[in-house]
Amino acid sequence: MEPLKVEKFSSTDRGNGLRASAPLRPGELLFRSDPLAYTVCKGSRGVVCDRCLLGKEKLMRCSQCRVAKYCSAKCQKKGWPDHKRECKCLKSCKPRYPPDSVRLLGRAVVKLMEETPSESEKLYSFYDLESNINKLTEDKKEGLRQLAMTFQHFMREEIPDASQLPPSFDIFEAFAKALLQSQGPPWMEVLLMFCDVGRIPFVDRVTLGSEVTDFCRE
């Protein structure tokens, strides 16, 4: 594998980012990985596959939780590692269903608890994300507190005690990070840890030390 041509940096006024550590060509792919976690939003459950996110008229339903749906047995098998632990949680909270952000963070936490780090964590980790809690209004903070309580209730089958969470993991702060970083089509909530990061559009060249994140913004 070729060495990365970008490096992390932080600034007092603009937070964390990436900058070029070598000259870059227009359109050069810098890093690619699957996102740390993703989940289909409530409005599109039963419309798109929980694994590949493609739409299909008839989807196969998980026989255990009866919530996750897949376009094929192949997708269901591939999706099982991400769905396995949340499956119990989805079953236990019936007939209620957790908010999309709660299910999303639950998937992210499970990934963070794995011994082998996710590929997406190698360049820019979940812990590197800015929460910007100090910039939130009191109403938004209260909303995050409610989500944190809902998360603990939803995950109690798999994580009955907060001490079992990853070291230095704070649920309140994690929601602030996840909700600020979520992006994607309206039918999908994605915690994006650089999936096809840094195709550099609309520039002739990027020189050493240039801030790559500036060029990636649309």
Side-chain angles (χ1 to χ4, degrees):
M1 180 182 293
E2 292 185 9
L4 290 175
K5 296 182 179 180
V6 291
E7 62 185 8
K8 290 185 288 187
F9 76 97
S10 60
S11 62
T12 55
D13 58 335
R14 299 174 64 188
N16 299 325
L18 296 173
R19 63 188 173 200
S21 57
L24 304 175
R25 301 186 306 275
E28 183 174 354
L29 178 63
L30 303 179
F31 183 79
R32 171 182 287 166
S33 79
D34 290 334
L36 175 64
Y38 64 94
T39 184
V40 175
C41 288
K42 182 179 178 180
S44 291
R45 288 204 307 270
V47 179
V48 300
C49 173
D50 272 56
R51 168 62 186 176
C52 70
L53 307 175
L54 294 178
K56 191 176 181 181
E57 286 188 14
K58 293 185 178 181
L59 296 169
M60 301 170 56
R61 185 161 50 185
C62 173
S63 61
Q64 298 298 311
C65 68
R66 303 186 70 79
V67 173
K69 294 186 177 181
Y70 304 93
C71 64
S72 65
K74 183 179 179 180
C75 262
Q76 186 171 14
K77 184 177 180 180
K78 285 186 175 182
W80 181 242
D82 289 333
H83 179 59
K84 181 178 180 180
R85 297 188 69 175
E86 74 166 3
C87 190
K88 285 184 184 179
C89 301
L90 289 169
K91 283 173 64 178
S92 70
C93 71
K94 281 185 174 182
R96 305 184 71 179
Y97 186 86
D100 296 331
S101 54
V102 169
R103 187 181 175 194
L104 174 68
L105 189 62
R107 285 184 160 217
V109 167
V110 169
K111 283 288 188 70
L112 293 172
M113 293 172 69
E114 293 176 353
E115 292 184 7
T116 304
S118 171
E119 186 69 25
S120 64
E121 292 286 281
K122 294 180 180 179
L123 177 62
Y124 213 90
S125 78
F126 183 85
Y127 297 101
D128 289 327
L129 296 175
E130 293 281 351
S131 66
N132 291 308
I133 290 176
N134 60 329
K135 297 180 182 179
L136 299 178
T137 64
E138 284 304 314
D139 285 345
K140 288 184 178 179
K141 288 180 181 178
E142 180 57 31
L144 293 181
R145 292 187 191 101
Q146 294 297 322
L147 284 175
M149 292 174 61
T150 303
F151 172 84
Q152 289 176 298
H153 181 75
F154 172 62
M155 295 295 294
R156 69 187 186 280
E157 289 291 322
E158 285 294 318
I159 308 176
D161 191 276
S163 64
Q164 296 176 297
L165 290 167
S168 69
F169 185 90
D170 181 271
I171 301 173
F172 176 80
E173 184 181 36
F175 269 112
K177 292 180 177 183
L179 294 179
L180 288 172
Q181 298 297 325
S182 296
Q183 52 183 297
W187 43 264
M188 180 175 63
E189 193 161 348
V190 180
L191 187 56
L192 191 62
M193 291 287 143
F194 291 100
C195 190
D196 276 3
V197 176
R199 287 193 179 278
I200 312 297
F202 314 126
V203 293
D204 293 328
R205 61 194 175 92
V206 180
T207 56
L208 181 66
S210 296
E211 295 180 13
V212 179
T213 42
D214 283 348
F215 297 110
C216 295
R217 296 191 186 112
E218 293 183 357

